[in-house]
Amino acid sequence: VRAERALGHSLPRGAHVHHVDEDPLNVSARLVICENLAYHKLLHYRASILKAGGDPNTERLCIRCRRLQCHENFYRRKSGRGAGTYLSQCKACVGELVRKARHDW
């Protein structure tokens, strides 16, 4: 409602409102109107890197080991829908999963 009031009209279809302090009940929080859910999730991901003491432009959080690491420690997708983006697990965790899968065969 606050975002729509600030815009002077209803939110565009598919838009999401991001609360900068991550508290949707805080009525005095700064808001960011995101064009879609993907951008909203990106803001949360970048905020999690900042909270961990990292730089979202040069570092990533591995979803498996939860360690903050530089981009070079993550594989990039070479083709397909997400080409050029980084995998969500670091190279060490991917290697561990591959070794475990080979052992289980």
Side-chain angles (χ1 to χ4, degrees):
V1 173
R2 282 183 42 230
E4 290 180 339
R5 226 181 279 141
L7 281 175
H9 57 80
S10 59
L11 291 173
R13 185 177 180 95
H16 287 255
V17 177
H18 174 71
H19 297 78
V20 175
D21 70 352
E22 298 184 10
D23 180 4
L25 301 177
N26 183 355
V27 295
S28 62
R30 292 184 327 189
L31 304 176
V32 176
I33 299 171
C34 303
E35 63 187 55
N36 55 36
L37 180 60
Y39 186 71
H40 189 190
K41 287 182 176 183
L42 176 66
L43 292 180
H44 279 278
Y45 181 72
R46 291 176 64 85
S48 68
I49 293 171
L50 287 170
K51 282 182 189 171
D55 177 356
N57 296 317
T58 60
E59 296 172 298
R60 295 184 56 80
L61 276 172
C62 174
I63 64 166
R64 189 156 188 261
C65 67
R66 302 301 302 164
R67 287 192 334 227
L68 190 62
Q69 302 179 49
C70 64
H71 286 151
E72 292 83 38
N73 291 335
F74 291 82
Y75 291 112
R76 291 182 81 129
R77 290 180 178 86
K78 293 182 179 165
S79 62
R81 191 169 179 211
T85 61
Y86 293 96
L87 293 180
S88 55
Q89 296 179 16
C90 67
K91 290 178 180 178
C93 287
V94 169
E96 187 179 312
L97 288 172
V98 169
R99 284 187 296 280
K100 184 178 184 316
R102 285 182 182 156
H103 180 266
D104 291 344
W105 281 12

